[in-house]
Amino acid sequence: MKLALFSSKPYDEKYFNRENKFNHEITFFSTRLNEQTLSLAKGYTAVCVFVNDKIDRAMIATLAKNGTQFIALRCAGFNNIDFEACKEFGIIVCRVPAYSPYAVAEHTAALMLTLNRRITRAYNRVKEGNFSLDGLLGFDIHGKTIGIIGTGQIGECFANIMNGFGTRLLFVDPFESSKCQSMGEYTDLDTLFKESDIISLHCPLRPETHHLINDASIAKMKNKVMILNTSRGALIDTHALIRGLKQSQLGSVGLDVYEEEAELFFEDCSDTIIQDDTFMRLTTFPNVIITGHQAFFTSTALSNIAETTLQNLDDLEFERLCLNLVE
Ligand code: NAI
């Protein structure tokens, strides 16, 4: 199949070429797929896109007119595609629903430990020959209460890791997992906010979870709580988060996602003046650590993403049952 892969990075090229046992004819475009670059997709049976390629109705109409039959998302979420328009114009959409929950759960644990034991500050100090311990004081994770919101694949993995630390686990999820039930207790949001020392978000972004963390929920939390978000940026009202940090209500914050990340993440902006003042304010806090949507970024996950995407397209080409359609 002729496949145009957009928003391509060197690592995408490496893993897609490595996993291409199907002999798909892949062209890698480093640019995002947008109105200006749409003409590049002409004549390709499939386009492959990532989280920040936004594809609206007009673009879908043009893709269909130019011969594209399939959109392959190389990620789990599909909120960036007008799916109703795809149905209208007969374009089939597939995705990679799961590639490595361990990758994201382990990165969440890395953020937690880095914040608690001030690893970045310690690293820089030691490089400068400063071995003072002032300002590096952490707390034992053992014995603390961890609140996990969303106990799907990633939340359950994170619960398992935290169980190994000897913590008390509280969960909120409309669907209870038996594995989590055996490690902790399901409760309501208010109790989780009130009793948790560390709160970690692992639920999807939906209208009902938009700004789940806001001024009102922060006010219910324990003083000096740690908040971790490796899920989706808009689960948190960033302005409320900043207020909570300025008032010292929040002890620390670890983020892998940010509500306005589409303008920044996955690009090298080090030579430009970043215009997002809210993001820049967040980076000034000593008790905030931000990574640029890298929680998924392990070799295992990249192999799985490439393999599943290419398998999806092979199934579609040869009219076999494709298990990963967006329907
Ligand atoms: P999943 O679908 O397995 O689990 C999500 C869980 O959230 C489900 O159990 C669901 O019942 C629960 N949920 C839904 N609404 C809820 C609510 N209002 N309150 C509490 N729980 C609720 O998804 P998975 O694979 O565990 O992924 C979780 C999230 O992680 C994804 O939605 C995605 O946003 C994010 N993610 C981030 C990555 C990164 O690189 N930072 C990579 C992959 C996923």
Side-chain angles (χ1 to χ4, degrees), residues 163-207:
N163 197 35
F165 275 78
T167 56
R168 173 182 174 235
L169 295 174
L170 292 179
F171 308 115
V172 168
D173 194 311
F175 299 97
E176 302 195 2
S177 114
S178 54
K179 185 149 186 231
C180 286
Q181 278 170 338
S182 70
M183 293 187 281
E185 58 186 289
Y186 279 88
T187 183
D188 55 87
L189 265 183
D190 278 0
T191 309
L192 184 145
F193 288 145
K194 196 166 139 232
E195 297 188 10
S196 300
D197 300 291
I198 297 174
I199 296 174
S200 195
L201 307 179
H202 299 287
C203 57
L205 176 62
R206 295 207 184 116

Side-chain angles (χ1 to χ4, degrees), residues 76 97-101 104 149-156 172-175 189 201-206 208-209 212 229-232 235 256-257 293-297:
Y99 36 88
S100 173
V104 184
I149 303 179
T151 56
Q153 301 184 79
I154 296 169
E156 190 179 284
V172 168
D173 194 311
F175 299 97
L189 265 183
L201 307 179
H202 299 287
C203 57
L205 176 62
R206 295 207 184 116
E208 67 272 21
T209 56
L212 183 73
N229 186 10
T230 55
S231 201
R232 281 293 179 265
L235 294 174
D256 186 53
V257 286
H293 208 136
Q294 72 169 81
F296 74 99
F297 196 57

Side-chain angles (χ1 to χ4, degrees), residues 85-96:
C86 287
K87 282 203 274 190
E88 186 185 333
F89 290 98
I91 290 187
I92 295 174
V93 183
C94 57
R95 66 183 182 124
V96 186

Side-chain angles (χ1 to χ4, degrees), residues 274-285:
I274 293 177
Q275 299 297 321
D276 185 334
D277 293 343
T278 309
F279 180 81
M280 293 315 286
R281 178 67 179 104
L282 266 184
T283 65
T284 65
F285 293 99

Side-chain angles (χ1 to χ4, degrees), residues 259-271:
E259 40 183 341
E260 304 298 335
E261 70 177 49
E263 298 306 315
L264 299 170
F265 286 6
F266 306 116
E267 303 302 330
D268 179 359
C269 302
S270 55
D271 258 345

